[in-house]
Structure formats: structure tokens, C-alpha cells
């Protein structure tokens, strides 16, 4: 068939459906959505941030130095030469930020607790003022009807622990367990949802492997694998600390940036191939957390560089979780089924494949469908949250001061359409946290890359909701992609 001409497309049914042709009066306003496009009733809509990216107040109330602050102070590490020391002053402006969330209509806020606030040196005596800010934040959230979801570690390791080997040392995993128990004992009367560590893949791979994140190391494979092992061990110790110290009804699970393989064409064979590929892509992260062992293929590939695993470790690492939290931005790869081992081939992305403002953020909104679906199929997960999804954008304010971030709106709309498909097919996705509420310190990119629904003027710290905030509010109000 010859390609449709523009003219043929314009006269297709879709283009005229919005008009009542009987009397030629346009039907204005948003159309009623068919039920099949709705998210399930009670679906949890939220936003997310992390301590070092937004809080600021780096030296208030006896906070200790973190690896990220130490790293960012080194010349050449951060693209714009900044550090996260000032963040966007969430520490002092949290009430305004909670009001912004309330205006969006979110019912949940995922924030992180800064370990160096709580234990200045990572372990030993707790800082008596270390959790005061989180007390205030949690109370303010609850007063606004917003449920706190606390991440215990979003990369800001106390520098004192790094000086003793950081994640290369097993002691860091033990110290994390003790810190987690301390936080849950103090906040657990009001906080009932916890994530031990955020994105082990990212802070280990980029921080200890590629050296572009704190602490900026490029370790050889055996040491890198050992650091990775200690981080998944810390996940298990964190799960146990939450169980031992949380109130009845408290739930805990990972927030991991799953590497997701997508079927290049949706056939049964390719879907199965994508599941196999996803299990292997996550072998030393989600797969070991869910299965309690590294996959044979991964161990074979590491050879003599495989991590040393103490006898009790597998049971700790695979401590039962209540849900799986997935940070999903972009597909990792597209696969085709193959007769030969390992059962799939990976297709290279064409040079013309589109990406968002950040070049790593390749378009592939289907990832929001496949990531939770693979997790349900592979590991029988009963509850899944999307713990992060969002995008960077150039985000230039227009003459009227508003950021009309149409690219972010487009990105989010497409992601949500695919996520809705997952829920409609019965994949147990319970909620979604949009990254991020606010523009903030985007790690090695500094403040140059913006991810917020709310624009922050970095001179005045003034907050101005972008068009995407209006979009998200509409999504929440309709409980459907808008
Ligand atoms: C994370 C993320 C966030 C980033 C976001 C955009 O690991 O949770 O790295 O902290 O800001 O993913 O890159």
C-alpha cells in the first residue's frame, strides 16, 4: 500500500471525531475518558526528591560531610562547578514545598534522609539534632494529607565512612543497618513506608566503576564487584532493620533503576527474550535481591573477579520485601529472540533514535509497561511502585515567566499511557512517583540540568510551577493520562 498522504490522514476518522457533524458545533473541553484508560481506583500519585539534591543547609544542626560534598568540591567534577551544599533550600522552605505538592493533589512524597545528618561520622554516637528536620517535614506532610515515603540512602555516604573504604568495606553495610534501625525507631511512629537504598546500580557503577559520581573511583573488577556485593548486603540489612523496628503495617522494598530490555517487536518469543535479557541485565542488583543468588551467567562472566560471599549473605540479601520499587526513565536495550544461547540478540539503537534534553534519556515510553510486567513475570512481585520517572528539559522561562515544558509533558503523557496499559492488564502497579517535584542539583551535571515540575530560580530560589505541573495535576484529578 502506498504511504498515506497528509491529505488522506486529515480526513481519517480520528481527525473529525472531535466534532459533532450533525450541527457542526465543535465539542469543546476534555472528552470523557473510556474506563479502559483509567488507572485503578486508589492508584497512588506522588513526587520524589533526595536529600543532597534539594535540602541545602549542609552545615546546619551538626550535619557531617558527605562523599558528594567532598567530591563536588574537587575542581572539574561537576559540569557547572557547583556543589549541592545549598540545594534548593528545601530544608528551610519545606512548608512552601509541601503546599506545592498539595496543590498538585499528590498523596505521597518520596524524600531521602541524609545519613551524615544523623551520624556525622556514619556510625558511633547519633547527632541528637540529626532527625529534627525530618520530624518537621513528616508532620507537615501528614497535616496536608500526604503520606511520607522515606529513602534511607540516596548516595550521600558520610565521608568518614568513605575514608575507611566506603562500600568496599563490609563495615559500611553493617553501619547502614544500624543507621537504618535508628531512623526507623525515631520516625517509624509516623512513617510506614521505607526504601533502604536508592539505585545501587547507579552509585556503584558510576561512583566506583566509571568515576563520574562520588567518590570518583575507577576500581578494577574484583574490587568493584565486592563493593556491589556490600551494597546489596546493606539492602538486606536495611530491610531487616525496618522489619525489626517499624510499626505493624510498615512496608519496605527497594528503589532500583532496573535495566529493562524491550521486545523490539511484541511477539511471544521476543517478550520471553526480553524477560531473559532483563534478568541478566540486573543480575548483581534486583535479580540477586529477589533470588538470593547471582545468576550462573553473571558468575561465569566475572570468573576470578566474582565477589566473596559469606555463608549467611544470600539469605540477608534476599530478605523478603513487600514491594518492588522501580526507577524507570529509559529503555536499556531492544532485543530479538534468538535460537542460540542466551536466547536473545540485542539490537543497536540507530543514531537517529530520539532522546530528551539529557542524551542518556533515550525515548522509549514502553519501558513503563515492560519494567513492571517483567518484574511480575520474573519474580512474582505482588506490589510494584514506579519510584521515579521524569525527564530533563531545557526549561527556559517564556516572557511571562512560565516554563512551557511541552517536551516534558509529551514524555510524561507517553510514559503514563504505557504504565496505564500495565495496570489495565492486571500488572500490580500501585503507585507512581514523578521525579522531581523541584529543579535541583542533578549530580555531575550540577544545576545545569533541570528535572522539576516546579521551576526554581537559582538566584532567588523562587518556585514557579511549569506547564508540566498543570499537566500532572490534571492526570491526578482524572486518574488517567491527560
Ligand atoms: C536517582 C536519580 C535521581 C536523578 C534522576 C535524574 O538515582 O534516584 O539519579 O537522583 O536526579 O534520576 O537523573
Amino acid at each position: 500500500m502506498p504511504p498515506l498522504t497528509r491529505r488522506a490522514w486529515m480526513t481519517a476518522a480520528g481527525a473529525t471525531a472531535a466534532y459533532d457533524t450533525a450541527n457542526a458545533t465543535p465539542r469543546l473541553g476534555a472528552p470523557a475518558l473510556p474506563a479502559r484508560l483509567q488507572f485503578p481506583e486508589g492508584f497512588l500519585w506522588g513526587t520524589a526528591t533526595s536529600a543532597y539534591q534539594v535540602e541545602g543547609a549542609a552545615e546546619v544542626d551538626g550535619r557531617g560531610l558527605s562523599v558528594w560534598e567532598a567530591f563536588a568540591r574537587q575542581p572539574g567534577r561537576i559540569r557547572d562547578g557547583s556543589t549541592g551544599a545549598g540545594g534548593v533550600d528545601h530544608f528551610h522552605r519545606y512548608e512552601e514545598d509541601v503546599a506545592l505538592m498539595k496543590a498538585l493533589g499528590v498523596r505521597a512524597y518520596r524524600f531521602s534522609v541524609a545519613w551524615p545528618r544523623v551520624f556525622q561520622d556514619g556510625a558511633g554516637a547519633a547527632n541528637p539534632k540529626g532527625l529534627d528536620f525530618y520530624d518537621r517535614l513528616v508532620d507537615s506532610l501528614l497535616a496536608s494529607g500526604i503520606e511520607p515515603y522515606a529513602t534511607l540512602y540516596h548516595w550521600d555516604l558520610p565521608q568518614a565512612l568513605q575514608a575507611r573504604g566506603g562500600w568496599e568495606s563490609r563495615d559500611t553495610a553493617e553501619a547502614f543497618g544500624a543507621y537504618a534501625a535508628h531512623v526507623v525507631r525515631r520516625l517509624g511512629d509516623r512513617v510506614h513506608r521505607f526504601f533502604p537504598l536508592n539505585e545501587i546500580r547507579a552509585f556503584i557503577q558510576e561512583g566506583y566503576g566509571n568515576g563520574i559520581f562520588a567518590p570518583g573511583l575507577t576500581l578494577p573488577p574484583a574490587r568493584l564487584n565486592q563493593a556491589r556485593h556490600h551494597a546489596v548486603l546493606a539492602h538486606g540489612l536495611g530491610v531487616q532493620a525496618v522489619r525489626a523496628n517499624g510499626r505493624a503495617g510498615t512496608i519496605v522494598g527497594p528503589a532500583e533503576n532496573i535495566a529493562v530490555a524491550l521486545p523490539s517487536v511484541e511477539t511471544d518469543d521476543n517478550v520471553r527474550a526480553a524477560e531473559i535479557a532483563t534478568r541478566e541485565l540486573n543480575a548483581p542488583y534486583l535479580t540477586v535481591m529477589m533470588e538470593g543468588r547471582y545468576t550462573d551467567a553473571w558468575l561465569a562472566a566475572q570468573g576470578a573477579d566474582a565477589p566473596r560471599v559469606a555463608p549467611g549473605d544470600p539469605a540477608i540479601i534476599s530478605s523478603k520485601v513487600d514491594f518492588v520499587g522501580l526507577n524507570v526513565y529509559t529503555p536499556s536495550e531492544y532485543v530479538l529472540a534468538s535460537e542460540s544461547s542466551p536466547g536473545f540478540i540485542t539490537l543497536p539503537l540507530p543514531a537517529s533514535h530520539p532522546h530528551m534534553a539529557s542524551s542518556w534519556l533515550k525515548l522509549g515510553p514502553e519501558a513503563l509497561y515492560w519494567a513492571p510486567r517483567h518484574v511480575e513475570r520474573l519474580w512474582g512481585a505482588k506490589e510494584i511502585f514506579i519510584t521515579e520517572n521524569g525527564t530533563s528539559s531545557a526549561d527556559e522561562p517564556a516572557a511571562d515567566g512560565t516554563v512551557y515544558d511541552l517536551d516534558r509533558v509529551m514524555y510524561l503523557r507517553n510514559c503514563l499511557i504505557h504504565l496505564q496499559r500495565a495496570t489495565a492488564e492486571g500488572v500490580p502497579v500501585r503507585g507512581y512517583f514523578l521525579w522531581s517535584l523541584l529543579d535541583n542539583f542533578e549530580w555531575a551535571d550540577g544545576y545545569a540540568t533541570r528535572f522539576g515540575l516546579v521551576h526554581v530560580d537559582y538566584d532567588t530560589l523562587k518556585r514557579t510551577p511549569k506547564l508540566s505541573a498543570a499537566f500532572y495535576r490534571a492526570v491526578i484529578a482524572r486518574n488517567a493520562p491527560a
Side-chain angles (χ1 to χ4, degrees):
M1 192 177 98
L4 282 181
T5 62
R6 195 169 287 272
R7 172 175 285 276
W9 173 247
M10 292 303 289
T11 58
T16 51
Y19 296 92
D20 178 344
T21 45
N23 58 14
T25 307
R27 274 198 239 123
L28 302 177
L33 284 166
R36 67 187 162 78
L37 286 183
Q38 296 278 328
F39 279 88
E41 215 179 302
F43 189 81
L44 189 79
W45 296 103
T47 57
T49 65
S50 90
Y52 187 67
Q53 295 181 274
V54 299
E55 281 179 7
E59 284 168 15
V60 173
D61 287 349
R63 183 192 199 277
L65 185 66
S66 75
V67 283
W68 263 96
E69 184 58 24
F71 177 76
R73 286 179 191 171
Q74 297 168 20
R77 294 297 200 177
I78 308 298
R79 182 144 72 102
D80 60 3
S82 63
T83 86
V88 290
D89 203 28
H90 186 56
F91 188 94
H92 294 112
R93 295 168 199 249
Y94 69 92
E95 282 182 324
E96 181 184 351
D97 296 339
V98 171
L100 286 165
M101 286 185 243
K102 199 171 174 186
L104 283 172
V106 297
R107 283 183 31 237
Y109 177 47
R110 175 172 176 246
F111 61 95
S112 81
V113 176
W115 188 349
R117 280 197 198 284
V118 185
F119 290 89
Q120 287 143 317
D121 294 328
N127 171 12
K129 293 188 174 168
L131 283 163
D132 290 1
F133 165 65
Y134 304 102
D135 266 338
R136 295 193 292 275
L137 174 65
V138 163
D139 289 345
S140 167
L141 289 166
L142 292 174
S144 295
I146 299 171
E147 173 132 37
Y149 278 66
T151 307
L152 297 170
Y153 181 76
H154 202 124
W155 309 355
D156 43 357
L157 188 73
Q159 176 64 20
L161 290 183
Q162 186 57 44
R164 302 203 290 274
W167 289 106
E168 284 196 78
S169 166
R170 193 177 173 95
D171 293 349
T172 295
E174 305 285 347
F176 174 75
Y179 150 73
H182 177 85
V183 175
V184 177
R185 277 197 292 272
R186 167 79 171 270
L187 299 179
D189 57 337
R190 288 152 294 150
V191 181
H192 305 130
R193 278 91 180 89
F194 289 97
F195 310 96
L197 296 98
N198 177 73
E199 294 193 6
I200 294 175
R201 174 194 297 280
F203 73 80
I204 294 291
Q205 196 57 44
E206 307 306 336
Y208 289 76
N210 301 331
I212 58 170
F213 281 2
L217 302 176
T218 49
L219 298 181
R223 286 172 62 189
L224 182 60
N225 281 335
Q226 202 59 44
R228 230 191 290 271
H229 181 71
H230 294 148
V232 291
L233 182 67
H235 156 80
L237 293 169
V239 170
Q240 296 186 353
V242 174
R243 292 255 184 269
N245 296 284
R247 298 288 168 100
T250 297
I251 58 172
V252 57
E256 193 53 33
N257 52 334
I258 184 172
V260 54
L262 273 50
S264 48
V265 177
E266 193 177 325
T267 62
D268 287 351
D269 283 357
N270 290 338
V271 170
R272 183 69 201 130
E275 288 169 358
I276 296 169
T278 297
R279 179 168 174 266
E280 289 303 336
L281 282 170
N282 296 282
Y285 306 108
L286 264 185
T287 305
V288 71
M289 293 180 205
M290 303 306 287
E291 300 182 13
R293 56 187 300 276
Y294 295 107
T295 65
D296 294 339
W298 189 78
L299 285 174
Q302 307 314 306
D305 295 324
R308 277 171 286 106
V309 178
D313 290 359
I316 298 173
I317 294 168
S318 59
S319 297
K320 187 183 165 303
V321 294
D322 299 300
F323 61 83
V324 178
L326 302 171
N327 294 358
V328 184
Y329 291 84
T330 191
S332 288
E333 52 189 47
Y334 287 83
V335 299
L336 273 182
S338 151
E339 299 275 296
S340 49
S341 173
F344 60 89
I345 56 170
T346 300
L347 300 180
L349 281 186
S352 56
H353 191 93
H355 61 78
M356 301 302 292
S358 303
S359 57
W360 61 267
L361 227 163
K362 307 281 184 215
L363 274 192
E366 322 89 276
L368 274 287
Y369 168 75
W370 291 108
R373 184 180 142 148
H374 290 336
V375 166
E376 187 198 19
R377 296 294 154 103
L378 287 169
W379 300 304
K382 299 276 184 296
E383 304 257 314
I384 298 171
F385 290 93
I386 300 302
T387 34
E388 288 181 25
N389 169 246
T391 185
S392 54
S393 161
D395 281 351
E396 297 292 346
D400 68 359
T402 308
V403 172
Y404 295 102
D405 51 347
L406 283 164
D407 53 347
R408 181 174 285 110
V409 170
M410 172 209 64
Y411 170 92
L412 292 171
R413 179 184 294 122
N414 283 301
C415 287
L416 291 173
I417 286 170
H418 287 274
L419 183 64
Q420 194 275 341
R421 174 183 170 197
T423 64
E425 292 180 11
V427 179
V429 185
R430 305 294 184 228
Y432 170 93
F433 293 82
L434 201 154
W435 184 275
S436 176
L437 175 68
L438 301 161
D439 287 340
N440 60 53
F441 178 77
E442 176 57 17
W443 308 116
D445 279 353
Y447 296 97
T449 298
R450 294 172 179 269
F451 270 83
L453 288 175
V454 174
H455 177 266
V456 178
D457 177 321
Y458 290 129
D459 294 326
T460 62
L461 295 175
K462 185 173 181 310
R463 278 95 159 115
T464 311
K466 304 174 191 175
L467 181 66
S468 55
F471 163 79
Y472 195 40
R473 196 164 43 136
V475 167
I476 295 170
R478 295 182 0 147
N479 201 31

